[in-house]
Amino acid sequence: MIQKPQIAWGILWAACSTLLGNAAQAIEVKVQPTKVRLGDTVSILVTPDSGETLTEAPTVKVADKTFPAFQVAPNRWRALVPTTPLEKHGRRSLTVTGNQQTRNMLLWVGSRRFPTQRIWLPPKKKITVKDPNYEFRQADKFKAVVTPQKYWNGTFVRPNAGRSSTGYGVRRYYNGVFAKDYYHRGLDYANSTGSPVKAAAAGKVSLIGRESEGFRVHGNVVGLDHGQGVGTIYLHLSRIDVQPGQTVASGQVIGAVGSTGASTGPHLHWGLYVNGQAVDPSPWLWRGFD
Ligand SMILES: [Zn+2]
């Protein structure tokens, strides 16, 4: 069942369209936010046409990549799609299949300017670590966690009271060379060592790493799984107050600000991952994705 692509700029209600004239099979697709920009999390909400049911997970594809859809209420399914500063702005194909109907649409992702920083690094210090990739393998495992259960409710809370020092998406030149794969994958809060770090939302501890165990970049780190492909990570901690697998409440203290790992002064680096990609956490603080 093919139809001409529709522009999904703004809230998109896909009209029902079937070759068989069987309106019972129709689905509606709603895209939020109304204007997507690079770094945004895109919510793709799929519901059946009025009076109908949608009891099986629809398939949601953006640019031929499939994203998991979870039931958020009876007959309401949602996929969360990340966008990042490394992508090109512009249109992507959005294909949603449910109740044997396929809808072909276009998703528009607007451009956004990210500030740049110029960093001059001294010659590398010789650090001997038994397995330098251990921390990155652990971090990759954290980013790959997708739990069907949704642990969070409502908006996320600011994990530290400190001043915002570096924003999301900042690009860098290292020693004059543009780092094309680098963007600041979170928000930094400058604060004094020992200042409490709170869980941004309810979740489960899915990563604990310590500088003493080889986390020389992240430093002491906690990762939380909030369910449905959403996770948050807290870097450079001076202290860790939680255990692997522990359930935490929104706002619960999980550790303290520090300067462990690759850090030039006490601050919290807070990252938010959606299906493996670091998105801008800000919309999760002010509007949320419930
Ligand atoms: Zn940072």
Side-chain angles (χ1 to χ4, degrees):
M1 205 142 301
I2 306 292
Q3 55 175 140
K4 279 185 184 157
Q6 306 172 330
I7 291 170
W9 180 275
I11 297 172
L12 190 149
W13 289 96
C16 62
S17 148
T18 70
L19 286 176
L20 302 172
N22 180 2
Q25 299 298 320
I27 51 167
E28 288 173 350
V29 179
K30 188 183 177 186
V31 177
Q32 279 187 312
T34 51
K35 280 196 178 182
V36 178
R37 292 192 311 161
L38 290 174
D40 280 343
T41 302
V42 187
S43 158
I44 312 281
L45 186 71
V46 186
T47 54
D49 203 17
S50 57
E52 303 305 322
T53 57
L54 181 58
T55 50
E56 274 182 34
T59 304
V60 176
K61 273 191 196 176
V62 174
D64 293 323
K65 190 169 185 249
T66 303
F67 293 91
F70 298 100
Q71 196 164 18
V72 288
N75 291 317
R76 284 168 79 82
W77 298 77
R78 182 186 58 195
L80 293 171
V81 176
T83 66
T84 77
L86 300 185
E87 297 172 32
K88 285 203 173 82
H89 71 272
R91 66 181 186 191
R92 290 125 175 72
S93 62
L94 165 61
T95 309
V96 180
T97 305
N99 278 354
Q100 292 92 52
Q101 189 203 24
T102 295
R103 305 204 53 86
N104 293 296
M105 291 160 279
L106 291 178
L107 172 69
W108 279 90
V109 180
S111 63
R112 176 175 168 188
R113 283 203 178 280
F114 295 99
T116 54
Q117 289 176 339
R118 291 178 178 271
I119 305 280
W120 300 90
L121 296 174
K124 269 189 188 144
K125 275 187 275 177
K126 265 234 165 188
I127 308 172
T128 37
V129 177
K130 258 188 273 168
D131 181 358
N133 289 321
Y134 170 69
E135 71 171 305
F136 299 108
R137 286 200 306 274
Q138 295 301 105
D140 285 348
K141 269 191 227 168
F142 155 78
K143 292 170 199 169
V145 171
V146 179
T147 310
Q149 197 183 337
K150 177 174 168 286
Y151 297 114
W152 85 91
N153 274 305
T155 52
F156 280 31
V157 298
R158 206 181 201 276
N160 186 262
R163 166 183 69 87
S164 293
S165 49
T166 304
Y168 169 84
V170 168
R171 308 298 302 265
R172 279 183 181 168
Y173 290 82
Y174 285 105
N175 299 340
V177 179
F178 185 66
K180 65 176 180 15
D181 296 329
Y182 174 87
Y183 68 96
H184 188 232
R185 287 166 163 78
L187 300 174
D188 284 355
Y189 297 102
N191 212 329
S192 49
T193 297
S195 158
V197 170
K198 295 169 182 174
K204 221 171 196 184
V205 178
S206 56
L207 169 69
I208 296 274
R210 289 191 169 80
E211 193 175 35
S212 60
E213 294 161 358
F215 281 70
R216 61 194 177 128
V217 174
H218 296 76
N220 299 328
V221 58
V222 171
L224 300 179
D225 169 27
H226 303 293
Q228 302 190 349
V230 180
T232 52
I233 194 164
Y234 309 78
L235 273 63
H236 313 308
L237 306 176
S238 58
R239 195 185 75 228
I240 292 174
D241 293 346
V242 288
Q243 304 293 322
Q246 184 183 333
T247 298
V248 296
S250 175
Q252 184 177 331
V253 175
I254 56 171
V257 167
S259 191
T260 55
S263 166
T264 52
H267 76 284
L268 171 68
H269 171 100
W270 177 49
L272 198 155
Y273 285 80
V274 170
N275 289 311
Q277 301 294 329
V279 297
D280 187 351
S282 305
W284 289 80
L285 294 174
W286 51 262
R287 68 171 290 271
F289 292 83
D290 217 7

